[in-house]
Amino acid sequence: AELGVAQRLLHTLLEWANENQIKSIYLGTTDRFKAAHRFYEKHGFSLIQKAELPSTFQFMDVDTRFYQYQVAR
């Protein structure tokens, strides 16, 4: 089956992260983006609390929901 644009972008990101020895990917989003939440969760991202983010994480004021992805090794 052909992947959609979002899936292809995610696949490219995960390949790059693995090749560059990135251990975790973090992202922030707003509570309103329900379809995005489903996409992230379907593709292995775990919902985490803001306090679990790295101290260097830069978030936008609208970010109220946070995800982490553990890159496979």
Side-chain angles (χ1 to χ4, degrees):
E2 186 175 326
L3 298 178
V5 172
Q7 286 178 295
R8 289 195 316 263
L9 286 170
L10 179 60
H11 179 74
T12 299
L13 168 66
L14 297 180
E15 280 185 345
W16 180 90
N18 195 41
E19 291 169 2
N20 288 277
Q21 300 179 345
I22 303 297
K23 295 178 184 175
S24 295
I25 297 171
Y26 297 91
L27 62 87
T29 187
T30 175
D31 285 332
R32 293 184 175 192
F33 294 162
K34 305 295 185 195
H37 304 162
R38 288 189 299 275
F39 178 84
Y40 301 141
E41 291 166 11
K42 176 182 174 183
H43 291 90
F45 284 78
S46 299
L47 186 62
I48 61 170
Q49 298 299 312
K50 186 176 181 180
E52 297 175 79
L53 293 168
S55 61
T56 57
F57 185 83
Q58 296 182 3
F59 57 92
M60 297 174 51
D61 290 340
V62 295
D63 290 344
T64 55
R65 192 171 175 109
F66 303 92
Y67 287 91
Q68 177 186 23
Y69 182 89
Q70 290 294 127
V71 179
R73 296 247 169 203

